[in-house]
Amino acid sequence: MKAIYFDEHGDYDVLRYGDVPDPTCAPGEVVLRIEAAALNFNDIWARQGLPRVNLPLPHVSGTDAAGVVVEVGKDVERVKVGDEVIVYGVNSCRVCPACLRGEEVFCRTMRIWGFQTGPYDGAYAQYAKVQAQQVAPRPTHLTWEEAAATSTSLLSVWRMLVTRAEAKAGDTVLVWGASGGTGSFALQLCRVLGARAIAVTSSDEKEAFCRTQGAEEVLRSDRDDVHRGVRELTGGRGVDIVFDHVGETVWPISVECLAWGGKLVICGATEGFMPHIDLRYLWNKQLSFLGSHIGTHREWMDCLRLVEQRKVHPPVTQTFALPEYAAAMRAMEERRITGKLAIRVGDHA
Ligand SMILES: NC(=O)c1ccc[n+]([C@@H]2O[C@H](COP(=O)([O-])OP(=O)(O)OC[C@H]3O[C@@H](n4cnc5c(N)ncnc54)[C@H](OP(=O)(O)O)[C@@H]3O)[C@@H](O)[C@H]2O)c1
Ligand SMILES: [Zn+2]
């Protein structure tokens, strides 16, 4: 089958489009014919390689997929050949205490599919295998590309805002990197929860996009003093929640922007892992710093319910064909995107 893959970590020249072995279906697994996939920033980390993270090589990336089941392994009863499905990006043992109590994210063998699995195991391929528990029916009102984009970002945002930060109606939430995949779902979810989202973004075009996604206010990292802007917009009080995945460069500003008793929730650090902060803020303002990582199957079901109810819509803004994948990844890395980017794999378009 055709896939985008790499044999070693590095720059764009490590990416190959070519033939790799077809997946084989073990007991408990299903094989999908991929119709569409969607990008996540994790794909960039996978290509580059991360310190202390061993990714199986050769690697096919891609954690978000929508497709048709073409083969089911022994013992798989719930999923049938021909089912149109989307994929939950968590591969776990399903039998340990953490898995059994519905906290797959704490399973000791939990791996993000299409990132830590492999070799040759992700969504940027004509076929892929996943655990049968990872698939759910495709929301039928969505295109294949939109369906593919309903998983990782939305799920991560749900866990960050609902489970970890316990965002509620009336809260004010500062959303960094608001125009991207994670950020735009955060704006949509704030709207659903009745929270007031203050988006931080970096251009006129992105500002307009953020307003379509649910931003009540927009601050501009390219020209505004974000802390001063937050003070003005909140009458000097600060925000209840900071939603962050940018990390090092914005963390000191986030700490200043938080109201007393505020919460900072973080799932990533695109601009670095080693922030400098004045710890006195932590105890004097009695802040909470919360880490969050992808989400549980149950949280994904909650997300999909919002999608089915048309309250949240995958913000796919551009689609690329599979061989054009490198151009999509470059646009993401160079910060030239809004919302989610999709990859068309099947020939349905
Ligand atoms: N642990 C988890 O579960 C989890 C889940 C999802 C994502 N993440 C992490 O969250 C981060 C964002 O992921 P994503 O998929 O949302 O990416 P994305 O769609 O590319 O969005 C990232 C946004 O961050 C802003 N940004 C600020 N500094 C940037 C920089 N140096 N390079 C690129 N963008 C920058 C940009 O928005 P503006 O121009 O509007 O500022 C950009 O659109 C990544 O670090 C990713 O690994 C973690
Ligand atoms: Zn487990």
Side-chain angles (χ1 to χ4, degrees):
M1 67 171 177
K2 291 279 189 269
I4 299 284
Y5 68 99
F6 50 86
D7 298 300
E8 57 180 330
H9 299 294
D11 208 343
Y12 285 85
D13 55 357
V14 302
L15 291 179
R16 306 258 177 277
Y17 174 68
D19 289 306
V20 303
D22 288 345
T24 51
C25 201
E29 293 180 336
V30 301
V31 172
L32 311 180
R33 185 182 72 236
I34 305 290
E35 293 292 333
L39 270 78
N40 290 286
F41 212 91
N42 248 6
D43 306 334
I44 295 171
W45 303 131
R47 192 206 76 227
Q48 291 176 343
L50 281 169
R52 302 210 306 273
V53 180
N54 279 327
L55 303 182
L57 298 172
H59 199 271
V60 172
S61 293
T63 303
D64 284 344
V68 181
V69 176
V70 292
E71 190 180 347
V72 299
K74 196 166 159 290
D75 302 333
V76 173
E77 289 173 3
R78 190 182 53 88
V79 184
K80 305 266 180 290
V81 169
D83 285 357
E84 297 188 351
V85 297
I86 53 177
V87 175
Y88 166 56
V90 173
N91 178 301
S92 72
C93 81
R94 316 285 171 200
V95 294
C96 74
C99 284
L100 291 176
R101 65 172 189 268
E103 291 284 3
E104 302 90 337
V105 289
F106 297 131
C107 173
R108 298 300 297 271
T109 63
M110 174 269 201
R111 291 172 301 160
I112 295 183
W113 174 71
F115 179 58
Q116 294 161 301
T117 56
Y120 304 119
D121 218 8
Y124 304 127
Q126 288 178 304
Y127 297 91
K129 74 175 163 68
V130 295
Q131 294 174 307
Q133 293 94 334
Q134 284 181 254
V135 301
R138 160 202 178 190
T140 49
H141 67 290
L142 300 180
T143 64
W144 282 111
E145 289 81 3
E146 290 169 339
T150 49
S151 297
T152 309
S153 306
L154 174 58
L155 172 60
S156 305
V157 166
W158 175 279
R159 185 166 178 86
M160 290 172 77
L161 286 178
V162 177
T163 307
R164 301 292 283 141
E166 299 177 314
K168 57 187 186 310
D171 281 346
T172 301
V173 183
L174 183 70
V175 179
W176 288 105
S179 65
T182 311
S184 48
F185 271 124
L187 297 175
Q188 292 195 32
L189 195 54
C190 282
R191 184 162 56 188
V192 173
L193 296 170
R196 174 195 189 203
I198 302 176
V200 186
T201 192
S202 57
S203 73
D204 290 343
E205 184 202 353
K206 290 180 174 186
E207 174 174 345
F209 176 75
C210 287
R211 292 191 191 280
T212 68
Q213 298 301 296
E216 288 191 27
E217 317 282 354
V218 179
L219 294 170
R220 292 282 294 271
S221 55
D222 55 326
R223 63 171 188 224
D224 293 336
D225 175 332
V226 171
H227 178 218
R228 178 183 297 176
V230 164
R231 285 183 63 82
E232 286 170 6
L233 291 171
T234 61
R237 182 179 171 274
V239 296
D240 302 289
I241 295 169
V242 170
F243 174 95
D244 185 29
H245 49 83
V246 178
E248 185 169 315
T249 53
V250 305
W251 187 284
I253 308 169
S254 298
V255 168
E256 289 187 309
C257 288
L258 280 168
W260 291 60
K263 303 168 193 173
L264 190 163
V265 63
I266 185 164
C267 73
T270 311
E271 297 215 319
F273 309 130
M274 305 294 278
H276 178 80
I277 64 158
D278 181 340
L279 283 172
R280 289 171 296 181
Y281 283 99
L282 184 54
W283 71 76
N284 279 323
K285 289 169 73 172
Q286 304 198 43
L287 305 177
S288 299
F289 292 167
L290 304 166
S292 194
H293 189 43
I294 200 158
T296 66
H297 193 274
R298 180 179 169 172
E299 289 164 333
W300 188 47
M301 290 293 116
D302 290 336
C303 292
L304 294 183
R305 195 170 314 127
L306 288 185
V307 172
E308 291 289 356
Q309 292 169 349
R310 319 291 204 261
K311 291 180 177 161
V312 165
H313 193 85
V316 174
T317 56
Q318 283 184 77
T319 297
F320 298 73
L322 185 61
E324 301 165 351
Y325 169 76
M329 181 186 257
R330 198 182 283 278
M332 179 176 238
E333 192 166 358
E334 294 175 356
R335 216 167 156 172
R336 291 186 279 108
I337 65 152
T338 53
K340 296 292 295 178
L341 304 187
I343 301 293
R344 190 179 60 251
V345 183
D347 56 5
H348 61 274

